[in-house]
């Protein structure tokens, strides 16, 4: 097969080349409101404040002292709760892990790192599975963001 390097690119090739160059230029530039959104997706700071609400979690779900839930919603069969913990990440992690064990839940996975932690669980009545994600990313000093997902087993 012979390639003719002198052949001119047709309209389709030119359009693809221009679109690719434009996409690369946008990615390299950054700036604007899109950075704030991507920062939050990557664990940027979040506001850890708000009026307390009662999430729709099982009655046997551990009630960790120092946690204030500020949002609660359903997503299909899953219940989602967001809020904050007044204190340090390690203490929040330990409180949730021991809280699940003390309430008869099974901790299926747990991990603590420098700025975040997860405790996955199974149990409760009715039986649910889910995860508690803790992040050291609050704008307010001395608070840890708490995100709980709970779904039927």
């Amino acid at each position: 097969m012979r390639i003719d390097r002198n052949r001119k690119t047709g309209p389709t090739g030119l359009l693809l080349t221009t679109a690719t160059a434009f996409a690369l230029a946008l990615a390299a530039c950054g700036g604007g409101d899109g950075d704030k959104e991507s920062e939050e997706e990557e664990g940027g700071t979040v506001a850890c404040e708000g009026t307390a609400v009662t999430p729709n979690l099982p009655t046997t779900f551990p009630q960790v002292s120092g946690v204030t839930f500020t949002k609660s919603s359903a997503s299909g069969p899953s219940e989602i709760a967001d809020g904050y913990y007044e204190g340090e990440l390690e203490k929040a992690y330990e409180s949730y892990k021991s809280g699940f064990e003390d309430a008869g839940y099974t901790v299926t996975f747990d991990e603590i790192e420098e700025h975040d932690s997860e405790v996955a669980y199974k149990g409760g009545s009715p039986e649910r599975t889910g995860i508690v994600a803790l992040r050291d990313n609050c704008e307010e000093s001395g608070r840890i963001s708490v995100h709980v997902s709970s779904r039927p087993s």
Side-chain angles (χ1 to χ4, degrees):
M1 176 180 198
R2 183 172 178 247
I3 300 173
D4 185 359
R5 297 192 191 277
N6 294 325
R7 193 173 125 209
K8 293 184 179 178
T9 304
T12 304
L14 182 59
L15 181 61
L16 288 174
T17 303
T18 304
T20 302
F22 183 69
L24 291 172
L26 280 177
C29 289
D33 291 338
D35 281 351
K36 185 174 183 181
E37 184 176 312
S38 66
E39 181 179 293
E40 288 177 7
E41 290 172 5
E42 293 173 9
T45 59
V46 296
C48 295
E49 58 187 18
T51 305
V53 299
T54 303
N56 189 19
L57 296 171
T59 56
T60 58
F61 194 86
Q63 302 299 310
V64 173
S65 179
V67 171
T68 301
F69 288 107
T70 57
K71 295 178 187 174
S72 182
S73 62
S75 178
S78 296
E79 295 294 330
I80 308 296
D82 289 297
Y84 60 89
Y85 172 79
E86 200 75 50
E88 299 298 318
L89 177 65
E90 188 171 346
K91 181 66 175 162
Y93 161 79
E94 291 169 357
S95 295
Y96 270 108
K97 187 173 177 193
S98 65
F100 282 122
E101 292 167 348
D102 293 347
Y105 285 67
T106 300
V107 173
T108 59
F109 170 81
D110 67 283
E111 175 182 66
I112 185 163
E113 295 178 4
E114 187 176 351
H115 296 288
D116 63 73
S117 173
E118 294 83 24
V119 180
Y121 62 88
K122 181 177 182 177
S125 180
E127 188 172 89
R128 311 279 289 182
T129 61
I131 192 163
V132 176
L134 306 166
R135 304 284 180 260
D136 184 8
N137 62 350
C138 292
E139 292 174 354
E140 296 78 7
S141 178
R143 289 186 177 174
I144 304 299
S145 69
V146 178
H147 176 81
V148 175
S149 66
S150 175
R151 60 194 160 278
S153 291

